[in-house]
Structure formats: C-alpha cells, structure tokens
C-alpha cells in the first residue's frame, strides 16, 4: 500500500477534470450558437414566406377587383353611349323639356345598379335635369374639374372624376362624364353618371370580413378616386410619387409595394393592378402587422421552446460542472486527507484480527526506523515489547463491542528504544474484512513536560514561601473555613495549620481605618465597577501578636451560586509593611525639608492653594511672609554646611513657637523661609508677627564653634490685595523682602506696586547685564588721583559704566548691587581688571607717565579659588608691571572669613600688586586686622571729607584716620574732595593725595589719556 500520493498524479487528475469541464463548456457554446443560427434562419424564412403569401393574396384580390371595376366601367360607358345616341334623349334636349329628361334619366338609372343618379348639364354648366329630382333649383357645375375637361375636350370619350358630393342629392358619387355634341359636333352639354361608392363597398365588404384590408381606386395620372374604407384625406390625393407608378408608366400590369404608416398609422402590403382598357388602377392593401401576427405568434412559440431547451441545457451544464467541481473537491479532500494521514504528527497503524500490520503512514516509518515494506511484513507483537497473546482476543472482543478504545502503552523502535504513547483504536468493517485503525501518538515530550510541571510547582511553592506570599481559597459565606497555605499562616503569626480562617474573621481583624476601604474594594469588584480584572486591595490587619501589619491581597472569584453571586475567592496575600514604610518615607522626603522638618516648596504650593480657596470662600485675609537670613553664606563658607544646618534647624524651632496651628511654615531652600498666616482679621497683624520674628533673632544661635548672631529680612504680601495666585503672592513677598534688604536689612516691608516695578526693572537689568559683556556695552571711566606734594597725577581709580542700548547710561549704584546678588560681579569684575591693565600698559607703551591704576574688588571676587591666577593672567596679557596695579577692598571684607581673606590678600601682595583699604571708617574693622593685612594705602571715605570744614567731629575723625595711616606706614588718600577749603584742610593735615570733583570727575579713557598728554596738574 503506497504511503503517499505523488503531486504529478494529483495534478494529472486536476488536468483531466479541467479538460472535461472545458470540453463541456465548448460543446454547450457550440450548441447554443448553432441553435441561435438555425432558429434565426428558420424565423427569417418563415418571415419571408408570410410576406410572400400576403403579397400573392393581395395580387389575387387586386385581379378580382380589377375585373369588377372594368365590368362596371364598361356597363356605365355603354349606358352613356346608349343615352347619347337615343333619339328620345336628343328630342328631349332639343325641346329643352326637363321633365322629359328627368323621366328618361330615371328609367336609365334603374337599369344600372352601379349608378346612384344621372344628370344632364347644358353647355353653360347649368344642370338641366336629374334622375333624382324634378323640378331642380338652379345648380351650375361649370367650375368643376370634370365639366372643364369635357368642355375643353369634347372629343374625349369619357372622363372619370374623383369621389365627390352630388350637387343635387348631396350623396357621394364618382362622376363618370361624357360630352354631348349636336349634329354640328358642337359641345352642347355633358351627361354625368354618378357611380355609387356603395356599389364598390359591397365588394369591399365581401373581402374584408376578417381581414383589415384597404381598397383604393385611382387614375393613371395618380389621382386617388375612391378609398375603402372611406378616408376623406385620401380622396383626390396624388399618389404618383410612389415607386410602383414607375412600373405602371413602363407598362407593367400589376405588382406589389409597401406603404409605411402614414395617414391611418398603419403599414400595409399592397397589390396593384391596372384596369384593362381603362385609365384606371386599383390597389388592395393589408395591414402588415395583421399579416405578421401569426408569424409573431409562431416565432414566440419557437423561441420559447428553444429558450426552454437552452435553459434546460444550461441547467444541465451547470449541474454537470458542479458535479465535476464537487468531484474535484472530493479528490482534493481525499488527497489532503491522505497527505495529512501520511505526514501528520500522529502515527497511523492498521491491524487485522490476526495482529498483522496492514497499513502504516510515513510518520510511523520515521518514528520506528523501519521502511514501509518492513513494517507491513511484521506483526503488532514485533513492535510491542509488552504484548500478551492471551489478551489479544479479549481486546478484539472489546473493540467490536465499543467500536472505540483508548489505552497508553509502550512501543519499541528498530534501535530497541521504547517510548510511551497513546493509542486510539477504531473498529472498521470494510468489504467484509475487520480492521483496527489505530491512531498512535508519541507522548514522550508530554511526560517530560509533566515532570517539569511537577518540578515547577515545587519550585513555585518554595518561591512563594521565600517571597512571603501566602495562598488562600476562601468561601464567602462567612461560616466555612478557608484553605490557607503554610506561608499564609506564618504571615499572620501562626504555625502552619494553626489558623482557622473565615471571611468574617478576615473582616473583623481589619484595621478600623482600612476596613471600609477594603470592604468597598470587595463590593466594587463584585459589582464590576473596578477597572481591575481581579480583586486587589492594601490594608492593615491584626496578626496573632496583636499588632497591625500591612498586607496586599489579590484574588478572583471562581465559584458562583445559582443567583450568580460569588461563593469563593482564591488569591494571594503578601506582607508589604516594609514597602509601606518606605513609601511613607518617600512621601515625607517629597513634601518636607530634611533639615528643618518643615514643608518644602511642593507642599507649600498645595497648602497655600487650599488656604487661598478657603480665604476666598469665606472672604478673609491671608498674608505671606518671605524670610531671608542676612549673611547666611558667611556661616556656610566659614564654619561649614553642618553649622548652617544647625542655624536653620534652630530657626525652624523658633518659628514654630511663633506661628499658629492654622498657619503654614515652610522652607523654600537655602536660607529662605515662607510663613503663611491664614484667617487674618487685619493685615497689620502680619507686621506684628514679623516683629516677633525679628525679635527672636536678638538671641544668638548656638553652634559647636561658639555663638553666632545674625538677622533676617522679611517681605510681606497680602491676599487679595497683592494677588490671588500662590506663585504671585510668594513672588511679591520675595520682592518686598529684597526691598527690606535694600533698606538696611533686619526689617520687614509690605509689598507695594512700585516694588513690583523696581523688581521688574531689576530683572530686566539682570537679564540685560548677562548680554552686556558680549555686546561690549561696558566702558571704563577713570578719576585721577593727585599728589598733594607736587600737584601732578600719580594714579587713577577705574570705575565701570554701562551704556545700555535702551536705557542709556546706567548708574553703577543701580547695577552693581544686582551684579553682586546674581554673581555677575565675577565676570564683570574680571573684565574691569583685564581692561584696566590693558589700558595702563598701552599708555605706558605710548610714552605716558607710569601711574598706578586702582580697581575695586568685591568680596565675592576675593573668594574666587583662581583669583591669583586671574590677576597674574591680566598682568601677563597686558604686559603691565604688578606695582602699577592697585586693588581696593572695603573694610567689611576683613570681617568675613578672616583667615581665608588674609591668605588671599597675602597672595596678592606676593604678586607685587598694591592693596588699598577703601571707605575706611564706615565699618567695624578691627585695628588688629588692619595691622595684619598690611595695606599700602588707606582711603578716607567721602562721607567724612564732605563736612570737615563745618563738623568738628568729622574733622577729628579724618585727623585720626590720617594719623593712624601714617603710624602704620600707609599712604593716605582722601575721596570726594570738591572744595578748596577741603583741599586746604587735608593738605594741612598731611594727606598724601586726593581725588574728587575739585580736580576732575570720572572721565573716559580717551579723555584721561589726553589729560596725561597735556600734563594737567593741581594748583597748590
């Protein structure tokens, strides 16, 4: 038995059926076309025969009518000739006896049935007598066609006119006229014989009983004389234009013609015939549709029969084609079934009752390692190592009884390998022979997978125990005990098997706060409101020790009662206590400051938004206080950030003691705090709170290095006066805080509209300042320093000016503080140093006197780690000797990070750069620090110089400063000298040099260069 059906055989079968299908279709098409052709020829021939029959019939009728008309005309002509030659008639005419004529004509009419009347008309056209009436009223036919023809041609034997009214009887007649001449052959009148149309109507009626025919009588000149049935428009019509008249003219006696639908809307077949011996013709026509009615009926019957046969043939063809398609599909199905069996995943083995193998598929051969021929020569016991001959007959008995059996056995391959398999035995009786058609499936892989599943279940159980996840199968009626895993029991503090779990017990042990939420989650899942596809809830539950721990439960309903209500919940439970604690910690870090424990910026916005909503709802006031510590950076830079954190923590404690429970206290970051005072009856209360905060700073902060005193600046904004949005209120309070710092620090300021304008201007200046360096908007001005010994210029102070593209020249008083706060003072100060060195070196290279150039150094610049490198780089790039550079610092610098500042100033001195102490006397510098820093020059602040001539105290202070400087070996320079009296005092006090408007205001570099070229000096 072959294992497979080759593709060529399948394709050959398909081609054979396809050829049969094509042949059938071709034969049907040929038969169809032949049937159409034969039917078409048959119908055409019958059509021609029907027309030919009608033509022949019309010719016969025409011949009969022609003879009838000929005899009638001859009889009429004979009557007229007799009358004309009759002496009685002539005597009546001669006597002009109308009564005689009337009696005579009446006797003649009676003898000829075709005549309806006879009349005699005089040569004047007046009718003298008529057979129909006597006496006559005056009637004249002079103008009639027949009278004019007879009068003009009296020799003409007769003239037949078209059908018209008899002027005497008013009946239709066909006038048959002959001229009457006297003995002199002169025209004396006409005899009018009125042919009765009804005479010919009888002939017509005899022929038209069952046929729709038309009879026409016409002259050889084409004028229609009469028509039956009567049609007024047809009488007198000229039909000479019709084609058959050409044949009449050529001498043809008869013929056939077709006249299309015209006057009476009927197309007819006409037969025509000339009336022998007369200038007349007759035609008889029959309705073409009536002729073809029988043909159409027969044609329809024929076509119906043919169409029925064709439809029957088509139906038969379709049926045969469908049967071929079904046969083709059946063959394809058989082929696919064969292929599926041969190459399927399962083995197919057919056995007979004796145990012989009768059929195997390719899969069987491949799995056992035998060829088909080898297996067909074997018995079932050869491949079944556990075959028992005694059980074989019992097996067949059961198979015959049940028809289908299932068993799992082991079979043996050619190599001796045994493998487990499923055997589905099927009893089949074919042609009297019994077969067991067995489908055998190798289940080796399934057995291996089952072992893997068992192993995986063991691993899963161990993993659940390791992950602290317990399993439960809980009835929901509240009374039955749930099935719990050992780990579930351990999570609740019980030994495995100790816990008696029920649904009611689960609800009772929930934390009171979480109970409603957990039960609601259960109800939502049951009602289908939850978006989750399983029941999931986090809750706290009391364990055996009495404490509450966090658990997460996930599960699904698996059983439902008859009403559709769930009855069992299967799921897992995990201890998430540590995760919850970590989440709480993360939430705390996300909303609270780690140093002070106060609310951070995020929480502040949320709380402030809620407070604003409440204040707006109840029409209440609300105040935002913005605090910023003064000189807090000094603590971090000098004592370290740990000391700064201690200050912030102690400050938070003090603030908590000041604010109320309904108020909000937060740290924005750095040394900035925000206090929100809710439910204020009066905005002035915010000022009172601010005073209490300022008073709290009178007590110093305790640090490991000792006590530290500082102050704070506070800005206040009020809702709804200063804004409705949290960010707006905080920003406006920040603006007011900056105003408090500008007012000397350690105070508070309420926000006003002009502060906002100044803050906007400050922001614009800060933004523009960042572009000013790139756009070369800064310029150095120089104020000369003059020696009081010689009066010549010995130096100059470099002062920066800003040429703003829109605001023009901006005062340093405006932009220098902004530059310090925004740290833009660093790049600006460095630019001043490099530019001043460059100009000083250029002037020296140009041959001008070598003088010192002083630049101001801000405290922030002194804290630059690379300051000494920057100074050296400015000197190197410009080529300026270090002794011509003078750096001015204010005495407040000495109070900040003394050791660090001292190291920096000493480094500057080692570079060879001079140091100058600016604004001396305005701060709180120590004389000891003054000695340690070893300044080269001491500058007296202009606030003392301005009133030395009028204020003895200022004069004494100036004298003391000058004496101090001299004592310490420093030169002394007085700033802001504007009058001669001030000059005289300073000179007499021993001041070394001055600068001020008395000699020159600050001037541009070009103007200062010109001053040196001109060697301008001070007159002493």
């Amino acid at each position: 038995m072959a294992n497979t059906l080759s593709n060529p055989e399948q394709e050959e079968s398909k081609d054979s059926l396809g050829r049969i299908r094509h042949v059938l279709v071709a034969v049907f098409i040929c038969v169809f076309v032949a049937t159409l052709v034969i039917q078409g020829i048959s119908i055409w021939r019958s059509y021609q025969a029907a027309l030919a029959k009608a033509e022949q019939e019309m010719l016969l009728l025409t011949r009969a009518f022609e003879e009838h008309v000929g005899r009638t005309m001859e009889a009429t002509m004979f009557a007229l000739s007799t009358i004309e030659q009759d002496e009685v008639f002539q005597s009546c005419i001669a006597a002009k006896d109308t009564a005689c004529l009337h009696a005579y004509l009446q006797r003649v009419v009676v003898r000829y049935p075709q005549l309806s009347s006879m009349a005699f008309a005089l040569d004047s056209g007046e009718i003298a007598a008529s057979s129909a009436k006597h006496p006559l009223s005056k009637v004249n036919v002079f103008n009639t066609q027949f009278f004019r023809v007879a009068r003009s041609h009296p020799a003409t034997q007769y003239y037949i006119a078209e059908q018209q009214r008899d002027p005497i009887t008013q009946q239709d007649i066909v006038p048959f006229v002959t001229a009457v001449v006297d003995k002199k052959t002169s025209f004396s009148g006409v005899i009018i014989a009125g042919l009765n149309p009804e005479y010919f109507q009888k002939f017509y009626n005899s022929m038209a009983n069952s046929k729709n025919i038309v009879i026409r009588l016409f002259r050889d000149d084409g004028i229609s004389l009469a028509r039956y049935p009567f049609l007024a428009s047809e009488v007198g019509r000229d039909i000479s234009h019709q084609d058959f008249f050409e044949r009449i003219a050529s001498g043809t006696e008869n013929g056939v013609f077709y006249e299309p639908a015209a006057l009476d809307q009927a197309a007819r077949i006409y037969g025509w015939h000339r009336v022998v011996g007369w200038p007349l013709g007759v035609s008889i026509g029959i309705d073409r549709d009536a002729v073809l009615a029988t043909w159409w009926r027969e044609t329809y019957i024929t076509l119906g029969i043919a169409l029925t046969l064709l439809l029957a043939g088509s139906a038969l063809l379709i049926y045969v084609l469908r049967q071929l398609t079904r046969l083709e599909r059946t063959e394809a199905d058989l082929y696919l079934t064969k292929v599926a069996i041969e190459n399927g995943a399962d083995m197919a083995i057919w056995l007979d009752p004796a145990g012989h193998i009768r059929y195997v598929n390719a899969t069987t051969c491949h799995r056992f390692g035998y060829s088909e021929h080898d297996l067909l020569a074997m018995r079932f016991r050869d491949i079944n190592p556990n075959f028992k001959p005694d059980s074989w007959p019992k097996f067949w008995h059961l198979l015959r009884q049940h028809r289908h059996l299932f068993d799992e056995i082991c079979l043996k391959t050619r190599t001796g390998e045994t493998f487990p398999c499923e055997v589905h035995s099927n009893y089949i009786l074919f042609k009297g022979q019994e077969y067991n058609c067995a489908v055998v499936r190798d289940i080796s892989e399934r057995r291996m997978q089952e072992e893997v599943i068992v192993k995986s279940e063991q691993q899963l159980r161990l993993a659940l125990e390791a992950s602290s996840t317990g399993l439960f199968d809980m009835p929901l009626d509240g009374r039955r005990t749930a099935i719990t895993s050992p780990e579930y029991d351990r999570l609740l503090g019980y030994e495995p098997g100790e816990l008696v779990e029920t649904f009611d017990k689960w609800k009772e042990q929930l934390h009171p706060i979480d109970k409603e939420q957990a039960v609601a989650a259960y109800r939502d899942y049951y009602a289908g409101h939850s978006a989750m596809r399983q029941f999931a809830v986090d809750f706290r539950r009391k364990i055996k020790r009495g404490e509450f721990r966090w658990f997460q439960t996930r599960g699904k309903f698996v059983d439902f009662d008859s009403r559709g209500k769930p009855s069992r919940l299967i799921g897992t439970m995990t201890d998430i206590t540590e995760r919850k604690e970590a989440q709480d910690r993360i939430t705390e870090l996300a909303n609270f400051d780690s140093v002070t424990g106060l609310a951070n910026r995020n929480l502040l916005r949320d709380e402030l938004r809620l407070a604003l909503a409440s204040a707006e709802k109840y029409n209440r006031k609300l105040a935002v206080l913005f605090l910023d510590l003064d000189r807090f950076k000094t603590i971090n830079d000098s004592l370290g950030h740990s000391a700064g954190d201690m200050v912030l923590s102690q400050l938070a404690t003090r603030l908590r003691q000041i604010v109320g429970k309904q108020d909000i206290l937060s740290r924005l970051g750095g040394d900035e705090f925000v206090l929100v005072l809710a439910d204020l009856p009066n905005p002035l209360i915010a000022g009172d709170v601010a005073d209490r905060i300022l008073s709290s700073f009178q007590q110093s902060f305790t640090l490991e290095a000792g006590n530290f005193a500082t102050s704070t600046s506070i800005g206040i904004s009020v809702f709804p006066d200063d804004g409705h949005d949290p960010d707006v209120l905080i920003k406006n309070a920040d603006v007011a805080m900056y105003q408090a710092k500008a007012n000397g620090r350690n105070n508070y300021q309420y926000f006003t509209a002009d502060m906002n304008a100044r803050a906007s201007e400050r922001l614009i200046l800060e933004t523009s300042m960042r572009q000013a360096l790139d756009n070369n908007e800064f310029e150095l001005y120089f104020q000369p320093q003059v020696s009081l010994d010689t009066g010549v210029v010995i130096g100059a102070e470099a002062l920066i000016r800003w040429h703003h593209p829109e605001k023009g020249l901006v005062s340093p008083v405006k932009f220098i503080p902004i530059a310090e706060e925004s740290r833009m003072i660093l790049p600006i100060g460095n630019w001043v140093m490099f530019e001043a060195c460059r100009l000083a070196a250029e002037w020296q290279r140009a041959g001008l006197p070598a003088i010192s150039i002083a630049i101001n150094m801000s405290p922030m610049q002194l804290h630059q780690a690379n300051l000494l490198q920057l100074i050296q780089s400015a000197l190197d790039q410009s080529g300026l000797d270090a002794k011509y550079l003078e750096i001015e610092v204010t005495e407040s610098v000495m109070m900040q990070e003394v050791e660090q500042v001292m190291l920096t100033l000493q480094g500057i001195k080692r570079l060879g750069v001079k140091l100058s102490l600016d604004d001396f006397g305005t701060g709180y510098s120590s004389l000891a620090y003054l000695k340690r820093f070893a300044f080269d020059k001491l500058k007296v602040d202009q606030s003392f110089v301005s009133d030395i001539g009028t204020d003895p105290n200022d004069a004494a202070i100036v004298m003391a400063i000058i004496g101090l400087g001299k004592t310490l070996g420093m030169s002394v320079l007085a700033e802001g000298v504007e009058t001669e009296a001030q000059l005289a005092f300073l000179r007499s006090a021993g001041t070394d040099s001055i600068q001020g408007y008395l000699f020159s205001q600050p001037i541009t570099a070009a103007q200062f260069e010109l001053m040196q070229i001109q060697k301008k000096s001070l007159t002493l």
Side-chain angles (χ1 to χ4, degrees), residues 168-234:
I168 303 301
T169 64
Q170 297 301 314
Q171 294 179 354
D172 288 335
I173 60 171
V174 177
F176 192 108
V177 182
T178 184
V180 178
V181 295
D182 55 14
K183 294 179 179 181
K184 298 179 180 180
T185 69
S186 297
F187 177 76
S188 60
V190 295
I191 300 173
I192 305 170
L195 294 175
N196 188 0
E198 295 295 330
Y199 181 76
F200 298 107
Q201 180 72 32
K202 296 177 181 179
F203 181 84
Y204 168 77
N205 292 338
S206 65
M207 291 187 299
N209 288 333
S210 60
K211 299 178 181 179
N212 185 14
I213 65 173
V214 173
I215 299 177
R216 181 187 292 136
L217 177 65
F218 55 88
R219 289 199 303 259
D220 55 4
D221 60 356
I223 300 301
S224 179
L225 300 181
R227 182 185 186 276
Y228 302 95
F230 177 76
L231 190 62
S233 58
E234 182 73 11

Side-chain angles (χ1 to χ4, degrees), residues 226-367:
R227 182 185 186 276
Y228 302 95
F230 177 76
L231 190 62
S233 58
E234 182 73 11
V235 176
R237 185 167 71 93
D238 189 355
I239 60 174
S240 61
H241 59 280
Q242 295 187 5
D243 296 338
F244 75 94
F245 256 90
E246 296 179 359
R247 285 179 282 171
I248 292 176
S250 64
T252 304
E253 291 296 327
N254 55 51
V256 178
F257 70 94
Y258 289 75
E259 184 178 65
L263 297 175
D264 57 353
Q265 304 299 318
R268 289 183 171 83
I269 303 173
Y270 282 93
W272 63 271
H273 203 292
R274 294 186 62 178
V275 180
V276 179
W278 295 91
L280 296 174
V282 295
S283 64
I284 298 177
I286 188 170
D287 192 342
R288 184 173 177 270
D289 293 338
V291 171
L292 296 177
T294 302
W295 173 81
W296 277 115
R297 186 167 53 256
E298 294 174 353
T299 299
Y300 285 147
I301 294 172
T302 303
L303 289 176
I305 295 172
L307 183 60
T308 301
L309 293 176
L310 288 175
L311 289 176
S314 301
L316 179 61
L317 176 65
I318 293 173
Y319 173 77
V320 172
L321 292 177
R322 286 184 176 179
Q323 292 301 318
L324 288 175
T325 302
R326 186 177 301 170
L327 178 61
E328 187 176 24
R329 189 180 300 113
T330 302
E331 288 191 357
D333 292 341
L334 290 174
Y335 170 75
L336 293 175
T337 303
K338 185 75 173 179
V339 172
I341 294 174
E342 290 293 329
N343 302 303
D346 294 334
M347 295 172 280
I349 303 176
W350 291 11
L351 304 170
D352 61 13
H356 293 99
I357 299 175
R358 304 299 299 272
Y359 168 80
V360 291
N361 62 356
T363 304
T364 305
C365 297
H366 176 75
R367 183 68 182 90

Side-chain angles (χ1 to χ4, degrees), residues 29 156 217 308 406:
I29 293 174
T156 302
L217 177 65
T308 301
F406 171 78

Side-chain angles (χ1 to χ4, degrees), residues 479-645:
R479 297 183 302 273
R480 288 188 294 163
T481 303
I483 301 174
T484 59
S485 68
E487 186 61 23
Y488 185 94
D489 298 346
R490 281 192 286 267
L491 289 176
L492 295 176
Y494 295 91
E495 292 297 325
E498 180 184 0
L499 175 65
V500 179
E501 181 74 303
T502 64
F503 188 56
D504 290 341
K505 183 177 182 180
W506 174 79
K507 290 188 291 183
E508 290 172 359
Q509 293 183 346
L510 293 175
H511 193 282
I513 298 177
D514 302 332
K515 187 173 184 179
E516 182 178 353
Q517 176 186 355
V519 174
Y522 169 82
R523 292 195 186 112
D524 288 345
Y525 176 60
Y526 168 65
H529 297 156
S530 174
M532 301 290 292
R533 300 182 64 182
Q534 60 181 357
F535 171 69
V537 65
D538 297 347
F539 55 86
R540 283 167 291 184
R541 179 177 177 180
K542 184 185 294 185
I543 63 175
K544 184 178 180 181
R545 294 191 301 270
E547 64 181 82
F548 285 95
R549 292 187 66 83
W550 278 100
F551 295 97
Q552 182 183 72
T553 292
R554 296 178 180 273
K556 284 189 174 182
F557 297 138
V558 294
D559 281 343
F560 298 85
D561 59 20
S562 59
R563 295 173 297 175
K565 184 178 180 180
S567 58
R568 282 176 59 207
L569 178 67
I570 293 180
T572 62
M573 186 178 73
T574 306
D575 190 332
I576 59 170
T577 303
E578 295 180 358
R579 189 175 75 188
K580 279 291 185 178
E581 292 174 351
Q583 289 177 350
D584 294 341
R585 178 58 180 163
I586 292 172
T587 302
E588 181 179 355
L589 293 176
N591 295 288
F592 294 92
D593 177 46
S594 60
V595 176
T596 64
L598 301 178
N600 62 10
R601 185 187 300 269
N602 294 332
L603 185 56
L604 169 64
R605 281 200 175 92
D606 295 338
E607 294 292 335
L608 181 54
R609 189 175 290 108
L610 294 175
L612 287 173
S614 177
E616 184 175 8
K617 180 178 180 181
Y618 297 105
N619 195 22
R620 295 172 181 170
K621 297 284 186 179
L622 180 146
V624 176
L625 281 67
F626 197 105
L627 286 71
D628 184 88
L629 298 184
D630 299 331
R631 295 184 296 278
F632 179 74
K633 188 176 183 300
T634 303
I635 302 175
N636 281 335
D637 294 342
S638 59
L639 302 178
H641 288 280
S642 60
D645 291 345

